[in-house]
């Protein structure tokens, strides 16, 4: 079936989607459900939450509060899924038909169809059933990020980079939001059922998590943990004798703030990974170029350090990561924050095929043996809080996927923060991560009204 160019490129109305689907084969028709099923759910807006709300709600947990949380999750998850299903349906059909985008649609529709049928949660037993379904869904959706990324790269000639990036940012931010509320409820249920917990009582002294929210997230500790993981990763990629840059930390080292630990670890891990890789590779190139200057047996100077500065203000914490890795190549600058990568797309597609599951957590920066070693060194007290995001993707240590920075920015902006990067080509990069310190900012969601207004 040949479609008008304007219809392919500008996005279709739902009526045009239905009309075109009616002309496809019966096999293709099975891929799509009537969109009327979504109408009632799409008519609802998501109800944003803040870290402070999560903390206050879970601080003195009772059976009534747990059941209230279950019913919020029971209605909120299918609402948010319905909006994203509608977004996918409004893509050009050539994009919708991409096997990777289609696979994501199928995963989302199955979860939506299952969750929308749940009756009101009235008992702890009802909640246990809901939690079981949520846990299975979270695991089933681990392939979503690499599939979306492959679909976007393959469809880069069918839509503009701006449209594709807007779609990806909306989908990924919504994905984070669903996992936050789902995993928060699972963690609250786990706390309520723990032998040490007394319903309605305050948390015992020394317990620093309310669900998935880390009450006193200390940036210094997160940076130290990420630095160990990234340095171990670099040794796996470049050899045990590689010269690594020192990672120097200065500034307000004792600052703490409430945050979801896995989010911060992912952002810091990606920034450090980029900085270490760029610094090591530039240093190795210089060593090769200047090898004749060093007599046999003499060691060349070490690579320049990576400087990390913590700055605490009244409302925010700012983390600056500065390296001397040569900066971002000029031909990559247009794609820095984009999920579309132009001429680099084909190589990234090959890399993404090697990562079938991706949770977007710090653990994915580690290979298995390094991960086990780090776990032993750090001890249980410093391990990321248990959640369904913790499975490894077994990502090869030097495998570039082209989505670390754009995905890190999605994570940063989710809780009303920001991530900016300034590159001096030929010298290095300064990355600035700003985090809301008080936890009083609502999650930044893309609402239906803003999507339909475009």
């Amino acid at each position: 079936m040949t479609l008008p160019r304007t219809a392919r490129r500008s996005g279709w109305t739902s009526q045009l989607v239905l009309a075109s689907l009616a002309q496809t084969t019966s096999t293709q028709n099975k891929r799509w459900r009537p969109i009327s099923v979504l109408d009632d759910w799409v008519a609802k807006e998501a109800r944003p939450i803040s870290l402070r709300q999560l903390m206050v709600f879970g601080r003195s947990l009772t059976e009534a509060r747990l059941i209230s949380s279950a019913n919020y999750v029971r209605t909120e998850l299918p609402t948010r899924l319905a909006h994203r299903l509608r977004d996918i349906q409004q893509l050009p059909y050539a994009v919708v038909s991409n096997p990777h985008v289609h696979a994501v649609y199928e995963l989302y529709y199955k979860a939506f169809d299952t969750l929308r049928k749940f009756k009101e949660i009235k008992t702890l037993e009802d909640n246990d059933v809901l939690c079981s379904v949520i846990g299975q869904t979270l695991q089933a959706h681990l392939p979503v990020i690499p599939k979306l990324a492959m679909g976007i790269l393959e469809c880069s000639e069918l839509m503009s980079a701006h449209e594709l990036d807007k779609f990806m940012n909306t989908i990924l931010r919504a994905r984070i939001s669903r996992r936050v509320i789902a995993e928060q409820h699972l963690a609250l249920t786990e706390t309520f059922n723990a032998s040490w917990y007394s319903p309605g009582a305050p948390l015992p002294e020394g317990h620093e998590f309310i669900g998935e929210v880390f009450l006193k997230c200390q940036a210094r500790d997160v940076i130290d943990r990420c630095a160990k993981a990234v340095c171990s990763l670099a040794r796996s990629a470049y050899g045990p004798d590689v010269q690594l840059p020192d990672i120097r930390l200065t500034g307000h080292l004792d600052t703490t703030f409430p945050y979801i630990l896995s989010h911060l670890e992912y952002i810091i891990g990606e920034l450090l990974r980029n900085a270490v890789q760029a610094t090591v590779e530039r240093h190795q190139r210089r060593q090769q170029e200047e090898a004749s200057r060093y007599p046999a047996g003499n060691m060349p100077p070490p690579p320049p350090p990576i400087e990390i500065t913590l700055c605490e203000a009244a409302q925010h914490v700012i983390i600056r990561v500065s390296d001397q890795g040569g900066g971002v190549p000029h031909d990559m600058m247009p794609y820095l924050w984009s999920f579309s990568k132009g001429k680099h797309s084909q190589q990234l597609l090959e890399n993404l095929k090697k990562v079938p599951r991706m949770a977007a957590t710090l653990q994915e920066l580690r290979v298995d043996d390094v991960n086990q070693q780090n776990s032993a060194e750090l001890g249980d007290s410093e391990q990321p809080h248990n959640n369904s995001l913790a499975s490894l993707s077994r990502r090869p240590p030097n495998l570039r996927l082209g989505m670390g920075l754009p995905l890190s920015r999605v994570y940063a902006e989710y809780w009303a923060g920001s991530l900016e990067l300034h590159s001096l080509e030929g010298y290095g990069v300064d990355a600035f991560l700003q985090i809301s310190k008080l936890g009083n900012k609502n999650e930044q969601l893309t609402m239906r009204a803003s999507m339909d207004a475009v």
Side-chain angles (χ1 to χ4, degrees):
M1 180 176 63
T2 302
L3 299 171
R5 179 176 221 162
T6 55
R8 293 201 312 268
R9 295 192 63 83
S10 62
W12 293 358
T13 63
S14 56
Q15 289 79 11
L16 185 53
V17 172
L18 284 176
S20 63
L21 288 175
Q23 300 176 43
T24 58
T25 65
S26 59
T27 301
Q28 288 174 315
N29 275 329
K30 292 178 183 179
R31 295 179 177 182
W32 294 88
R33 280 72 174 184
I35 63 173
S36 60
V37 176
L38 301 177
D39 288 344
D40 290 342
W41 292 92
V42 172
K44 304 175 184 179
E45 285 287 9
R47 293 172 288 171
I49 52 177
S50 68
L51 286 170
R52 179 173 290 178
Q53 286 175 302
L54 294 178
M55 291 185 290
V56 171
F57 185 87
R59 194 177 295 276
S60 297
L61 192 60
T62 63
E63 180 177 335
R65 283 196 167 196
L66 187 64
I67 290 176
S68 175
S69 172
N71 282 305
Y72 171 77
V73 172
R74 174 184 66 89
T75 57
E76 196 68 10
L77 287 181
T79 298
R80 298 187 184 200
L81 282 164
H83 283 261
R84 302 294 73 84
L85 287 166
R86 179 58 50 85
D87 291 340
I88 297 175
Q89 288 179 340
Q90 291 180 336
L91 291 171
Y93 186 64
V95 179
V96 169
S97 300
N98 178 275
H100 305 299
V101 177
H102 168 66
V104 172
Y105 181 91
E106 287 294 314
L107 284 171
Y108 280 11
Y109 193 92
K110 181 179 179 181
F112 164 76
D113 199 42
T114 300
L115 291 166
R116 73 182 178 89
K117 295 175 182 177
F118 260 91
K119 303 298 183 183
E120 181 183 1
I121 306 300
K122 297 181 178 180
T123 67
L124 294 176
E125 289 73 23
D126 292 343
N127 179 59
D128 289 340
V129 175
L130 176 66
C131 287
S132 176
V133 171
I134 291 172
Q136 293 169 13
T137 301
L138 289 173
Q139 288 296 321
H141 285 205
L142 286 177
V144 163
I145 292 179
K147 284 188 177 298
L148 278 174
M150 286 189 286
I152 290 303
L153 289 173
E154 289 180 352
C155 296
S156 58
E157 295 183 359
L158 301 174
M159 291 176 66
S160 70
H162 172 74
E163 290 172 323
L164 288 173
D165 284 334
K166 181 178 180 181
F167 170 75
M168 277 292 282
N169 277 281
T170 300
I171 288 286
L172 291 174
R173 190 174 297 184
R175 177 187 183 274
I176 294 170
S177 79
R178 294 192 304 273
R179 298 190 82 92
V180 165
I181 62 176
E183 291 186 341
Q184 179 71 3
H185 181 68
L186 292 179
L188 291 180
T189 299
E190 181 183 341
T191 297
F192 187 85
N193 292 331
S195 58
W196 54 264
Y197 186 71
S198 177
L203 290 173
E205 188 174 349
H207 193 88
E208 297 181 326
F209 282 93
I210 295 180
E212 289 297 308
V213 183
F214 192 18
L215 301 179
K216 295 182 178 180
C217 184
Q218 193 161 35
R220 176 181 61 186
D221 292 342
V222 174
I223 291 167
D224 287 344
R225 182 160 55 249
C226 291
K228 289 180 181 178
V230 167
C231 288
S232 296
L233 175 78
R235 292 188 184 96
S236 336
Y238 303 109
D241 298 325
V242 64
Q243 283 187 290
L244 297 178
D246 287 338
I247 297 177
R248 300 175 182 174
L249 184 58
T250 59
H252 301 144
L253 302 185
D254 295 326
T255 183
T256 64
F257 48 89
Y259 215 72
I260 294 181
L261 194 56
S262 61
H263 292 191
L264 185 59
E265 285 184 328
Y266 181 79
I267 301 169
I268 297 296
E270 285 292 343
L271 293 179
L272 284 179
R273 175 189 176 110
N274 289 342
V276 168
Q277 285 187 335
T279 303
V280 167
E281 291 177 4
R282 188 185 194 209
H283 182 66
Q284 289 179 335
R285 289 194 299 271
R286 282 185 167 180
Q287 281 184 307
Q288 293 172 358
E289 293 168 0
E290 302 176 2
S292 59
R293 294 176 50 189
Y294 302 105
N298 284 14
M299 289 291 293
I306 294 170
E307 305 278 358
I308 303 178
T309 308
L310 297 178
C311 178
E312 180 181 10
Q315 300 283 331
H316 302 99
V317 173
I318 299 172
I319 302 173
R320 182 184 69 178
V321 179
S322 301
D323 68 63
Q324 298 178 44
V328 179
H330 181 73
D331 65 334
M332 280 301 299
M333 284 300 296
Y335 310 107
L336 193 63
W337 301 109
S338 176
F339 292 93
S340 301
K341 299 299 182 182
K343 66 180 181 181
H344 307 279
S345 296
Q346 191 56 45
Q347 181 57 55
L348 295 176
L349 267 172
E350 295 302 317
N351 292 348
L352 280 162
K353 290 175 183 177
K354 302 174 186 177
V355 187
R357 290 157 65 86
M358 185 174 181
T361 57
L362 172 68
Q363 285 75 19
E364 289 175 342
L365 294 177
R366 306 170 181 163
V367 289
D368 290 345
D369 56 342
V370 173
N371 184 46
Q372 293 168 3
Q373 176 184 346
N374 285 345
S375 297
E377 290 175 354
L378 293 173
D380 293 337
S381 64
E382 295 188 359
Q383 289 306 298
H385 195 54
N386 286 334
N387 60 56
S388 65
L389 295 176
S391 63
L392 295 176
S393 67
R394 292 175 174 82
R395 173 180 171 185
N398 56 352
L399 190 65
R400 288 176 169 83
L401 304 180
M403 57 189 307
L405 280 177
L407 185 53
S408 294
R409 177 177 269 185
V410 173
Y411 269 116
E413 293 179 346
Y414 179 72
W415 293 116
S418 64
L419 178 61
E420 301 293 339
L421 187 145
H422 300 282
S423 172
L424 293 174
E425 189 174 9
Y427 183 79
V429 166
D430 279 355
F432 294 86
L433 170 64
Q434 180 175 290
I435 295 167
S436 177
K437 176 186 172 184
L438 305 179
N440 60 348
K441 302 293 186 182
N442 280 348
E443 52 183 339
Q444 303 297 296
L445 301 178
T446 303
M447 297 298 192
R448 187 80 253 144
S450 65
M451 292 296 293
D452 291 341
V454 176

